[in-house]
Amino acid sequence: MTTLKARLKDDLNAAIKDRDELRSSTLRLTLAAITKEEVAGKTKRELSEDEVQKVIAKEAKKRREAADAFEQGGRHESAGRERAEGVILDAYLPKQLSDEELDGIVAEAVEEARTAGAEGPRAMGAVMKIVNPKVAGQADGGRVAAAVKKLLAG
């Protein structure tokens, strides 16, 4: 089984051969972010698949935020490029949960937290502790928090 990092490298080489500038620069920056993470700290190490996925997710999130910032600044061409880079990176991440799937998981967690005695706004932390491991990498933290707040508000 090829690792995610190896897949990124293979895809980068293919993108370079195809002269796909957008794809090659996106993958190059992502691999650089992975390498930076590997050499951070006292000793160089290989990142686990989960850690590589987290780096890719962080890079994709940066692209979405940059696209929004460019959009607000009226720089639509730059926003479009950032969005396109985000789409390329999303292909390497697990499929995102639909709103319905996320709401279902959150509803179960709310029940579980209530059974454990968590009530009212203070239940937020308890519910998040239950939900986060279940949706890791499949839903953005902001989406999860919004879904939890909505359900707790009733």
Side-chain angles (χ1 to χ4, degrees):
M1 190 189 109
T2 56
T3 64
L4 198 48
K5 187 176 168 186
R7 200 175 120 205
L8 285 167
K9 285 181 178 171
D10 292 345
D11 291 353
L12 171 61
N13 289 333
I16 292 169
K17 281 183 189 142
D18 297 340
R19 299 191 189 285
D20 183 340
E21 191 276 328
L22 175 72
R23 190 173 198 80
S24 62
S25 75
T26 303
L27 296 177
R28 202 175 269 129
L29 285 167
T30 304
L31 281 163
I34 291 168
T35 303
K36 183 178 166 200
E37 195 65 35
E38 287 177 334
V39 297
K42 288 183 170 62
T43 54
K44 186 180 189 305
R45 64 194 180 92
E46 274 293 311
L47 294 183
S48 70
E49 284 292 288
D50 282 349
E51 290 170 315
V52 169
Q53 212 169 51
K54 279 192 181 111
V55 172
I56 296 171
K58 197 162 73 180
E59 290 296 307
K61 184 177 182 189
K62 276 187 204 167
R63 301 306 190 285
R64 283 192 296 276
E65 289 169 353
D68 291 343
F70 281 134
E71 203 62 61
Q72 285 166 0
R75 294 181 54 198
H76 304 295
E77 196 174 299
S78 298
R81 181 176 171 98
E82 292 291 337
R83 281 205 177 79
E85 289 181 6
V87 168
I88 290 171
L89 293 176
D90 285 342
Y92 296 94
L93 296 170
K95 189 179 161 302
Q96 295 295 295
L97 292 170
S98 70
D99 289 341
E100 293 76 33
E101 291 169 315
L102 182 59
D103 287 344
I105 292 169
V106 170
E108 284 172 27
V110 168
E111 282 309 305
E112 203 176 312
R114 285 199 175 127
T115 310
E119 275 302 320
R122 288 189 308 269
M124 179 86 183
V127 174
M128 290 298 284
K129 275 193 189 105
I130 299 167
V131 173
N132 279 334
K134 292 181 182 175
V135 299
Q138 296 178 302
D140 182 59
R143 262 184 76 203
V144 176
V148 171
K149 275 186 191 137
K150 188 177 84 183
L151 261 172
L152 286 175

